[in-house]
Amino acid sequence: MDAQSRGRAENIDPADQWVLNPNTGEYELRLGNSAAQSPVPGPRRPNPRGGDGSAPRRRENPTARREHPTAGESRETGRQRGGEVPPPRSGRRRGGEPEQPQGRRNRRPVKKKGKARKILAWTAGGTAFVVIAVGAAGYLYLKHLEGNVTTTDVGSAAKDGFSKDDAFNILIIGTDKRTGKGNKGYGDANSVGHADTNILLHVSKDRTNATALSIPRDLVVDVPDCRTIQSDGSEKVIPGSRQVRFNESLGQEGRDPGCTMRTVKEVTGITPDHFVMVDFNAVKTLTTAVDGVDVCLDHAVNDKDSHLKLPAGPSKVEGEQALAFVRTRHSWGNQGDLDRIKVQQQFMASLMRKMTSGDTLTDPSKLLDLAEAATKALTVDKGIGKVSTLKDVALEMKKVPPKNISFVTVPVLDNPADGVVHKTVIVNPDAAPPVFDAIRNDVSFTEVKKKKKAAKDAAAARLKGSRSAPSEVRVRVFNGGAQGGSAQSTLQWLQNDKGVLKSENAGNAPEALSRTTLEYAPAQAAQARELAQLMGLPGSALKPGKSVTNAQGLPEMTLTLGKDFKGAGVSLTAPAKAPSVDKSTADKQKCAG
């Protein structure tokens, strides 16, 4: 066998000729630029990666077993990325390259990373870890908060979910239930939890304004029959009560918050979408979480019933003192519930300002305390029972400027049935309906710059122009969510009272609508304006569309009576402005007195 076949030729170090081919896992003889030779004789090397996918064991370079290695022999195995067998390295040896440090012979020399690259690697790795850790922690904390919230299934009394694109009504109920440490000393320790404080919060569709309508607990109302869901999933209908205090709509006879929601609709005509219920502890924990709420008094107070003791002028209250402040009644005005409502409205406005202040929003500790306190304090319906949904509600409310959040109270009169001693009140039949109409029709109690003015102008323009005679109006009437029988009663009213003889009852609409609509073809615009005038429809109710023909092939308009329909002959046109009422706004602080 010649020198080349033995691996020795032209003074080339044999250690540089035997190299590992990563494709085969075998050591091969490399002679200059020639092709790879046969594998080295001996036991066959197993597959470099086993069937289980494990990495191959490292095999020692055959030349490492020579008894007398060359003094400057390289320790590099010749393994290269990319799978090709590298060329001989003997040329580098001739240049007098210093000997590599002793170590493992089959290991590539480790290149030193620059300091900047090391820092970058650590920073990138650290950032990724922090992002993952915060994301995981955030998810876990969100689930933790979700476990804090108590939900009550009130069935159809509440909506299934929450929409960010619509106006919404949330009924806030403060109960007089004496649960929690130190609360049994207040009033009736055995209370089942009546509707002691009630605020219907309406947030406008365009988020320019909101109205918080307080409903007196001593308002005399008719509580309707109420379908409740029991703990075992069964349903129970609790019979209604006539001429009782509003606060009996909750707790009494086993009534749940859904019963209170139905009572609000019965009294005001406004449908609450959801409810949020809090007890005595909520006032204590929320005010403590934000390090107190600023209040102001016209005169010093030392109330033996509520244990409130404060000087005249500004003060800060939290915990027990905050609860005493909102419960105090005998120190304000005529010592009745109506004056206490005004003080509670001022307190709520101050709490809202504190919760949305920079001091709170930029302090992580306060935010966490607030999140814990708020979720533990709330009982809500299933439609907003998730923390993510409650967050959406809060963010939508935050869009409303505090100066446009109005606090008003249901206009009432002393109940004549009480005689000389007035203990209860009744709805003022003249002053209350305009307030209810304004809220129901999304009209602000403050001057606001309305959004989507172009759309409103276009709707108003639909009412301008010539009108047909009533006898020329051809329309079919659908019931699309109005009270049962509305389509027939409207048809009779149109034909008998208004002379719209070319009209027919089309039955129930395919789907329920929140608002009444009148669809018409361009050629029917004059008829649409006449019907809108007769019925008191707003321009937004008119929907230009395609022509629809009846059985005789004649074109007809389509009138769909929505959930806002109030009855035949009752106008649906929203008031241009809200009535003038005694109100306060969330941006200003008033002194209680």
Side-chain angles (χ1 to χ4, degrees):
M1 187 177 293
D2 58 17
Q4 285 189 349
S5 65
R6 293 194 304 271
R8 294 180 181 273
E10 299 179 359
N11 297 319
I12 298 175
D13 189 340
D16 288 329
Q17 290 179 277
W18 290 101
V19 293
L20 178 68
N21 187 337
N23 290 330
T24 64
E26 304 288 352
Y27 282 96
E28 299 176 359
L29 182 63
R30 168 69 70 179
L31 300 178
N33 294 325
S34 63
Q37 305 300 311
S38 302
V40 62
R44 186 170 183 83
R45 179 180 178 86
N47 192 324
R49 183 170 296 276
D52 60 353
S54 60
R57 292 184 177 179
R58 189 183 302 274
R59 182 168 182 174
E60 186 179 2
N61 191 323
T63 61
R65 293 194 292 271
R66 293 186 293 126
E67 295 181 3
H68 304 288
T70 304
E73 181 175 327
S74 170
R75 304 302 192 261
E76 190 171 16
T77 65
R79 180 183 298 180
Q80 301 290 331
R81 294 179 184 269
E84 292 186 2
V85 179
R89 297 169 298 163
S90 58
R92 298 202 301 269
R93 296 285 171 255
R94 298 192 187 97
E97 184 174 331
E99 182 177 345
Q100 298 294 327
Q102 294 295 323
R104 294 178 63 181
R105 296 176 183 269
N106 58 348
R107 192 168 192 168
R108 295 181 64 186
V110 178
K111 294 183 178 180
K112 292 184 178 180
K113 290 184 179 180
K115 187 174 182 180
R117 291 187 64 185
K118 285 183 178 180
I119 294 174
L120 182 60
W122 277 102
T123 303
T127 301
F129 176 78
V130 170
V131 169
I132 293 171
V134 170
Y139 172 78
L140 293 175
Y141 189 64
L142 186 67
K143 300 305 291 182
H144 161 72
L145 292 178
E146 207 127 280
N148 288 345
V149 181
T150 302
T151 59
T152 296
D153 188 354
V154 294
S156 61
K159 286 188 174 180
D160 289 338
F162 173 74
S163 172
K164 298 180 183 180
D165 301 320
D166 298 324
F168 60 90
N169 303 313
I170 295 183
L171 179 61
I172 303 170
I173 307 172
T175 75
D176 59 358
K177 198 168 185 177
R178 271 70 173 169
T179 56
K181 184 179 179 181
N183 293 331
K184 291 186 177 180
Y186 297 114
D188 182 8
N190 299 315
S191 174
V192 294
H194 296 104
D196 196 53
T197 299
N198 309 277
I199 297 175
L200 180 62
L201 177 65
H202 170 81
V203 180
S204 70
K205 180 180 176 67
D206 61 9
R207 307 299 187 253
T208 61
N209 65 93
T211 303
L213 177 69
S214 291
I215 304 173
R217 67 171 190 175
D218 294 328
L219 179 68
V220 175
V221 298
D222 291 339
V223 177
D225 292 348
C226 178
R227 186 179 299 276
T228 61
I229 299 177
Q230 305 301 300
S231 57
D232 60 357
S234 63
E235 293 188 354
K236 177 182 178 182
V237 176
I238 300 176
S241 302
R242 290 183 54 80
Q243 297 298 288
V244 296
R245 282 180 167 88
F246 182 91
N247 68 345
E248 292 186 20
S249 64
L250 177 69
Q252 201 78 8
E253 309 298 335
R255 295 186 176 111
D256 64 13
C259 302
T260 308
M261 296 172 72
R262 291 182 173 92
T263 304
V264 169
K265 182 178 180 181
E266 184 82 10
V267 174
T268 66
I270 304 168
T271 303
D273 300 314
H274 304 284
F275 82 87
V276 172
M277 186 167 65
V278 297
D279 58 16
F280 281 2
N281 273 344
V283 177
K284 294 198 255 185
T285 56
L286 288 175
T287 53
T288 300
V290 296
D291 288 342
V293 173
D294 296 321
V295 297
C296 180
L297 282 71
D298 277 337
H299 56 81
V301 170
N302 188 357
D303 192 298
K304 64 179 181 179
D305 294 319
S306 67
H307 311 296
L308 178 66
K309 186 175 182 180
L310 287 175
S315 295
K316 180 182 286 188
V317 296
E318 67 174 277
E320 290 286 346
Q321 198 173 38
L323 178 60
F325 184 84
V326 297
R327 291 195 64 255
T328 295
R329 178 174 60 180
H330 300 295
S331 297
W332 318 124
N334 61 6
Q335 303 184 16
D337 189 49
L338 295 179
D339 286 297
R340 181 172 67 168
I341 285 175
K342 293 180 181 179
V343 173
Q344 290 175 342
Q345 291 174 345
Q346 294 162 20
F347 176 85
M348 278 195 62
S350 183
L351 178 59
M352 290 172 64
R353 289 194 298 270
K354 190 62 178 287
M355 290 173 68
T356 57
S357 68
D359 290 344
T360 300
L361 297 179
T362 58
D363 187 331
S365 178
K366 283 185 181 179
L367 284 175
L368 289 176
D369 289 346
L370 187 57
E372 287 285 348
T375 51
K376 288 180 179 178
L378 303 180
T379 297
V380 300
D381 60 89
K382 286 193 171 182
I384 55 174
K386 292 185 177 180
V387 170
S388 57
T389 308
L390 289 172
K391 177 207 68 176
D392 290 340
V393 173
L395 290 177
E396 291 303 307
M397 289 175 57
K398 192 176 182 297
K399 294 178 181 178
V400 182
K403 66 178 182 178
N404 292 333
I405 301 177
S406 302
F407 290 90
V408 299
T409 304
V410 172
V412 296
L413 298 172
D414 289 333
N415 185 5
D418 288 342
V420 179
V421 180
H422 298 296
K423 295 182 179 179
T424 59
V425 293
I426 60 173
V427 171
N428 186 322
D430 297 322
V435 173
F436 301 154
D437 284 345
I439 296 174
R440 188 167 47 244
N441 290 289
D442 212 18
V443 179
S444 175
F445 282 78
T446 59
E447 293 295 329
V448 297
K449 184 183 291 185
K450 289 289 185 181
K451 296 181 181 178
K452 302 178 182 177
K453 186 175 184 299
K456 292 182 178 294
D457 290 344
R462 295 179 193 135
L463 298 174
K464 297 179 180 179
S466 60
R467 303 202 305 266
S468 300
S471 59
E472 297 177 359
V473 174
R474 185 177 285 107
V475 61
R476 56 178 182 171
V477 184
F478 283 96
N479 187 332
Q483 187 175 358
S486 293
Q488 183 60 30
S489 62
T490 299
L491 180 69
Q492 293 174 345
W493 176 78
L494 287 173
Q495 292 180 343
N496 298 333
D497 295 0
K498 298 300 177 181
V500 183
L501 302 179
K502 299 175 182 178
S503 52
E504 61 175 314
N505 183 352
N508 291 327
E511 59 181 352
L513 302 178
S514 58
R515 295 188 176 278
T516 298
T517 62
L518 175 61
E519 296 181 65
Y520 61 96
Q524 300 169 315
Q527 296 182 41
R529 288 191 285 268
E530 175 62 17
L531 187 60
Q533 175 69 22
L534 294 173
M535 296 189 63
L537 300 179
S540 59
L542 275 61
K543 306 293 182 183
K546 297 180 180 179
S547 178
V548 178
T549 56
N550 60 15
Q552 289 75 38
L554 300 173
E556 281 186 325
M557 298 185 295
T558 300
L559 174 65
T560 305
L561 307 178
K563 295 178 182 179
D564 65 333
F565 185 71
K566 305 173 185 177
V570 181
S571 175
L572 291 178
T573 303
K577 57 184 296 186
S580 178
V581 293
D582 182 20
K583 70 175 186 296
S584 60
T585 52
D587 63 320
K588 297 177 181 178
Q589 185 177 53
K590 290 185 177 181
C591 292

